[in-house]
Amino acid sequence: AVFGKRVLICADRFHIARLYRESFETLRKREWKRLQRTLTKSTLDQFKNVHGLLRHRRADLTDDERRILNRLFVHSPQIKDAHDACEALTMIYESPLSTGQGKRQIRRWMRQVSNCGIRCFDRFLGTLRTHFAEITNYFVNRQTSGFVEGLNNKLKVLKRRCYGITNLAHLYQRVCLDLNGYARFGVESI
């Protein structure tokens, strides 16, 4: 409201990734419980720590790790489809796309996920539809709010550490000291 239309509101990529990965994680847990009921113990033992493998891109895995995932995908095609969808959306964010291309790619991804029949992303798809402009504004300058969130976190921690400082000049010095180091005051680090 203050700056007008010159400032774009951009949903942070980190938070978007967390949303779709949480959706995938919910499906993974549900499928794992189903597999525990249906598979033998020896078969389940082959999939120890598979949840860690599912958090990495397939391209970053070793051949043995890929084989383990492929065996899991045989028992749970839903996990495979959802994992592929997560990787596809991550690749859209990592590709050097213009704003228009990014919007088209995300719309295509949304259609594919809807048509695929995986219901774990339904809530996330609703979020995408509701906040489509804010989410796709990432492709304008590929900026995130990571720096601002990090600065806010530092200030909150400093505020807790400096509880009781009543002199605003001392609080400001403490902020500058924590952010810029001792060089700001012409003092060598202690």
Side-chain angles (χ1 to χ4, degrees):
V2 174
F3 297 107
K5 295 182 179 182
R6 293 179 293 161
V7 176
L8 293 175
I9 297 172
C10 179
D12 190 45
R13 174 186 169 176
F14 168 79
H15 296 291
I16 301 304
R18 190 181 76 206
L19 287 175
Y20 68 81
R21 289 186 179 128
E22 282 175 357
S23 299
F24 171 71
E25 190 64 16
T26 302
L27 171 72
R28 183 200 63 80
K29 288 176 183 176
R30 189 178 69 237
E31 278 294 293
W32 185 249
K33 286 180 183 178
R34 183 187 66 80
L35 292 175
Q36 285 177 319
R37 289 191 306 268
T38 58
L39 297 178
T40 64
K41 184 173 175 9
S42 61
T43 306
L44 285 173
D45 287 343
Q46 296 173 8
F47 303 130
K48 281 188 178 180
N49 300 322
V50 75
H51 62 280
L53 300 179
L54 289 168
R55 292 185 180 126
H56 293 83
R57 282 185 251 167
R58 260 187 249 167
D60 297 338
L61 299 175
T62 65
D63 290 337
D64 290 337
E65 292 169 335
R66 276 191 225 116
R67 277 193 279 285
I68 292 170
L69 276 186
N70 289 333
R71 282 195 300 263
L72 174 68
F73 294 156
V74 166
H75 295 287
S76 178
Q78 278 190 327
I79 290 179
K80 180 187 184 314
D81 293 342
H83 188 260
D84 290 345
C86 285
E87 280 196 338
L89 190 54
T90 300
M91 291 307 298
I92 291 170
Y93 270 102
E94 291 180 355
S95 299
L97 303 172
S98 68
T99 306
Q101 292 170 328
K103 287 180 179 183
R104 282 191 296 279
Q105 291 284 336
I106 289 182
R107 280 191 189 107
R108 183 181 308 136
W109 183 87
M110 291 169 68
R111 279 192 306 275
Q112 288 173 343
V113 168
S114 294
N115 295 337
C116 187
I118 303 172
R119 301 280 60 101
C120 69
F121 292 115
D122 286 349
R123 188 170 171 206
F124 176 67
L125 289 172
T127 301
L128 274 176
R129 286 184 200 100
T130 305
H131 302 286
F132 190 77
E134 294 92 346
I135 291 170
T136 56
N137 281 342
Y138 167 79
F139 295 102
V140 174
N141 291 322
R142 296 188 170 275
Q143 292 178 338
T144 67
S145 60
F147 170 78
V148 174
E149 290 183 27
L151 177 63
N152 285 341
N153 187 47
K154 281 183 182 182
L155 292 174
K156 286 178 185 178
V157 170
L158 179 68
K159 189 174 78 171
R160 284 192 295 272
R161 277 190 10 231
C162 294
Y163 182 76
I165 291 182
T166 56
N167 186 332
L168 287 179
H170 290 156
L171 181 62
Y172 177 74
Q173 284 179 336
R174 190 71 241 181
V175 169
C176 290
L177 185 62
D178 278 12
L179 296 178
N180 301 322
Y182 291 93
R184 169 96 169 141
F185 299 101
V187 178
E188 294 292 324
S189 65
I190 298 174

